[in-house]
Amino acid sequence: MNLADYRKQLDRIDAEILQLFEERMNVVREIGIWKKQNGIPVLDAGREAEKLETLSARSSGEYQAEVRALFTEIMALSRAQQEKTLEAQPQNTMRCGLLGETLGHSYSPQIHAELGDYEYRLYEKAPEEVVGFVRSGQWHGLNVTIPYKKTVIPLCDELSETAAAIGSVNTLLRRPDGSIFGDNTDAYGFRHMLGKTGFDPAGKKALVCGTGGASATVCAVLKSLGAEVITLSRSGRDNYSNLDRHRDASLLVNATPLGMYPNNGAQAVDLRDLPKLEAVLDVVYNPARTALLLQAETLGIPHAGGLSMLVAQAKRASEIFQGKTIPDRETERITALLASEMQNVILIGMPGSGKSTVGKLLAEKMNRPYLEADEEIEKQAGLTIPEIFRREGEEGFRRRETEVLRELGKRSAAVISTGGGCVTREENYPLLHQNGIIVLLERDADSLAREGRPLSQGADLHAMEAVRGPMYRRFADVAVSNDAAVGDTINDILAKL
């Protein structure tokens, strides 16, 4: 090898050393926080001396002195890092978080940030890591989610009556003496969600979809409230194909992931098969309105979604973590805050009413992504809108439009502008409404732009508005005039949102 080759070899080794050093310092920081929480001093002279002897003995004789010098310096840097970390830690910092196997995007950190002044992290752990992590003591309070709600039970020194009865733990508290208390705040959350419908289950038949952990919690709560509870599954005595046996049911609860993002639109039960229903609940919170809840809304049945349950159980968990009561009004405030941040803002209106212009500026103002249905249609088709109309006619275009809206409607926290004729297909309404607030932009027909809009060319826009107007108003949650300055329109939308 020449000198350049040797230097490349050194560069590779140095990069590996740097990566391992940074990894070590991250662990050092975590240990420093744990020591702070457990009242243990940073310096452990005996441990350091023993470590230096072990490392020196493991090295080759040629480099023993150098290894000792190197790790003496590393340990000094580690102590300094821990001391710096402790200085930056607020005296009242608690280390909390969510324990699960695959967490993806979770709203829990955002919710807990509203509930108290403590650290809240996501802890994704493989099954073989769970016991070691829980016993490590490197946390003050934990929420536990799928699939570890039963795994953590043997690690608890004490269970609440609720957790013991249900056989599921979703909240852990490490007490000052190091013992672990397990509770189930999902039950509290479900009671809250049930209360939002005003339905009293005492003496009435309740159907619960699913037989998993969420179902166990729901069934336990309903039984404690005096309901006759029937669980539904794909097979067995009570299943989705013999609902006629339970036409007298007063309550239906979906306690399965069916209909959850990205599998929006799925539902196990057609509510028309249960004519006596007085309330419908769904533990799913994304989308905001599952297919089940959208049908309940259409049929005029009181209903509630899983977001209120999620926030309420988090509020109760936070009370356990902090050892204090949090006002119930905080649940409603945080639920409303989260709902407004999660849901899309969807613009509808006549062709040329300014949806694109308003949408782009609104997205910038709200710091959200902007999505335009017509652009997505053109991208997928590889054709312009006028070309699609020429080749496939309006019916072909409408089919493409529905498929695009099916995907865009699944998104969260975006601003989406739609084509002027999307309201002509009733099937588009649930696609937009499932996770969105629909805003109608209104503009005088004489001021509507026509360029690039196939159906506007030479059309009587007053007549078109007369036909579509009721459709727009059927879809819309709010209506805003766009006849004045665009800035005024955006401010009006924000005020109404």
Side-chain angles (χ1 to χ4, degrees):
M1 289 196 303
N2 57 33
L3 181 59
D5 291 330
Y6 283 121
R7 284 175 172 170
K8 286 181 182 178
Q9 197 172 15
L10 280 178
D11 288 343
R12 177 183 59 78
I13 294 170
D14 287 344
E16 292 177 2
I17 292 173
L18 176 60
Q19 181 179 346
L20 289 170
F21 177 75
E22 291 180 345
E23 186 177 335
R24 188 184 200 280
M25 295 302 279
N26 286 335
V27 174
V28 162
R29 186 182 71 85
E30 300 293 318
I31 293 172
I33 295 172
W34 186 89
K35 286 180 175 179
K36 174 70 173 180
Q37 291 173 342
N38 290 273
I40 298 174
V42 168
L43 176 61
D44 186 341
R47 157 81 175 166
E48 288 195 7
E50 181 183 341
K51 189 72 175 175
L52 283 172
E53 291 300 325
T54 301
L55 291 168
S56 297
R58 288 176 62 183
S59 65
S60 63
E62 182 180 359
Y63 300 115
Q64 276 191 351
E66 288 81 359
V67 167
R68 179 178 286 272
L70 172 63
F71 278 94
T72 297
E73 182 62 24
I74 288 175
M75 288 178 181
L77 292 171
S78 298
R79 287 196 303 275
Q81 173 68 14
Q82 287 188 0
E83 289 165 357
K84 183 171 70 173
T85 299
L86 296 184
E87 288 174 3
Q89 286 288 309
Q91 293 301 309
N92 63 345
T93 294
M94 298 189 304
R95 188 176 184 186
C96 302
L98 175 64
L99 170 63
E101 185 173 23
T102 304
L103 298 176
H105 176 70
S106 170
Y107 293 105
S108 292
Q110 186 175 350
I111 295 170
H112 281 270
E114 296 289 330
L115 290 166
D117 182 19
Y118 50 86
E119 176 186 295
Y120 194 95
R121 296 186 183 184
L122 301 180
Y123 296 105
E124 283 194 355
K125 301 294 178 182
E128 63 272 15
E129 298 177 296
V130 173
V131 173
F133 173 72
V134 173
R135 287 179 172 165
S136 70
Q138 297 181 28
W139 52 271
H140 176 87
L142 289 176
N143 289 126
V144 184
T145 190
I146 297 171
Y148 301 136
K149 293 185 180 184
K150 293 186 183 295
T151 305
V152 299
I153 291 178
L155 306 177
C156 297
D157 297 287
E158 182 185 350
L159 296 178
S160 70
E161 289 184 10
T162 301
I166 296 173
S168 176
V169 166
N170 81 318
T171 300
L172 297 175
L173 175 70
R174 180 175 295 280
R175 291 163 165 164
D177 63 0
S179 64
I180 298 175
F181 173 71
D183 205 344
N184 186 311
T185 64
D186 285 334
Y188 177 92
F190 179 70
R191 281 178 179 266
H192 174 81
M193 179 168 67
L194 178 63
K196 289 182 70 66
T197 66
F199 174 75
D200 182 359
K204 296 181 180 179
K205 180 183 285 189
L207 303 181
V208 179
C209 301
T211 56
S215 173
T217 299
V218 169
C219 290
V221 172
L222 290 175
K223 287 176 182 177
S224 74
L225 296 174
E228 176 195 353
V229 180
I230 306 293
T231 56
L232 301 176
S233 59
R234 293 188 184 90
S235 59
R237 183 172 182 272
D238 297 293
N239 56 66
Y240 301 122
S241 63
N242 61 11
L243 286 178
D244 56 301
R245 303 171 60 219
H246 303 296
R247 289 176 62 84
D248 58 337
S250 299
L251 172 68
L252 178 76
V253 182
N254 175 46
T256 77
L258 198 63
M260 182 170 67
Y261 175 85
N263 301 311
N264 305 43
Q267 66 184 97
V269 175
D270 186 333
L271 300 182
R272 291 171 297 185
D273 294 333
L274 301 169
K276 302 296 185 181
L277 286 177
E278 299 175 45
V280 175
L281 303 176
D282 198 327
V283 301
V284 172
Y285 59 85
N286 185 10
R289 303 171 190 88
T290 60
L292 192 71
L293 296 183
L294 287 169
Q295 189 180 30
E297 180 181 296
T298 299
L299 296 175
I301 304 171
H303 55 279
L307 184 60
S308 60
M309 177 177 172
L310 177 70
V311 175
Q313 71 79 23
K315 195 268 284 192
R316 180 67 191 118
S318 184
E319 291 178 331
I320 293 170
F321 296 161
Q322 299 185 81
K324 70 177 186 180
T325 300
I326 298 173
D328 289 341
R329 63 177 177 274
E330 284 298 280
T331 301
E332 302 306 321
R333 180 185 70 82
I334 296 170
T335 301
L337 174 66
L338 211 59
S340 67
E341 293 180 357
M342 288 170 59
Q343 292 194 75
N344 301 313
V345 177
I346 298 171
L347 302 178
I348 64 172
M350 284 284 287
S353 60
K355 297 185 294 293
S356 297
T357 300
V358 170
K360 291 172 185 176
L361 293 173
L362 182 63
E364 183 178 339
K365 184 87 169 179
M366 299 181 74
N367 193 28
R368 294 187 176 198
Y370 172 70
L371 304 167
E372 189 165 335
D374 282 355
E375 286 185 359
E376 293 296 318
I377 294 169
E378 290 183 333
K379 188 186 303 181
Q380 292 187 16
L383 300 167
T384 66
I385 299 297
E387 286 172 335
I388 296 172
F389 268 84
R390 282 196 299 271
R391 294 189 184 191
E392 302 176 11
E394 183 177 359
E395 183 60 28
F397 172 79
R398 294 298 171 208
R399 284 196 299 270
R400 289 182 178 274
E401 181 178 54
T402 294
E403 290 311 305
V404 164
L405 295 180
R406 192 181 310 282
E407 293 306 311
L408 293 184
K410 293 180 181 180
R411 296 286 297 265
S412 296
V415 174
I416 302 171
S417 67
T418 64
C422 75
V423 296
T424 61
R425 278 191 150 195
E426 182 63 24
E427 65 197 276
N428 292 336
Y429 175 70
L431 303 180
L432 299 176
H433 185 53
Q434 63 178 326
N435 218 24
I437 300 170
I438 303 177
V439 178
L440 169 60
L441 283 189
E442 297 180 313
R443 173 177 280 176
D444 184 86
D446 292 328
S447 302
L448 295 171
R450 294 175 181 265
E451 186 178 351
R453 296 168 174 83
L455 294 183
S456 297
Q457 302 295 328
D460 183 342
L461 295 182
H462 285 279
M464 182 187 291
E465 201 283 329
V467 172
R468 290 186 180 177
M471 300 177 187
Y472 289 129
R473 288 184 281 277
R474 154 80 179 91
F475 272 47
D477 295 304
V478 296
V480 174
S481 171
N482 192 31
D483 283 321
V486 68
D488 293 337
T489 302
I490 290 170
N491 289 335
D492 197 6
I493 293 173
L494 292 172
K496 290 185 177 181
L497 292 179

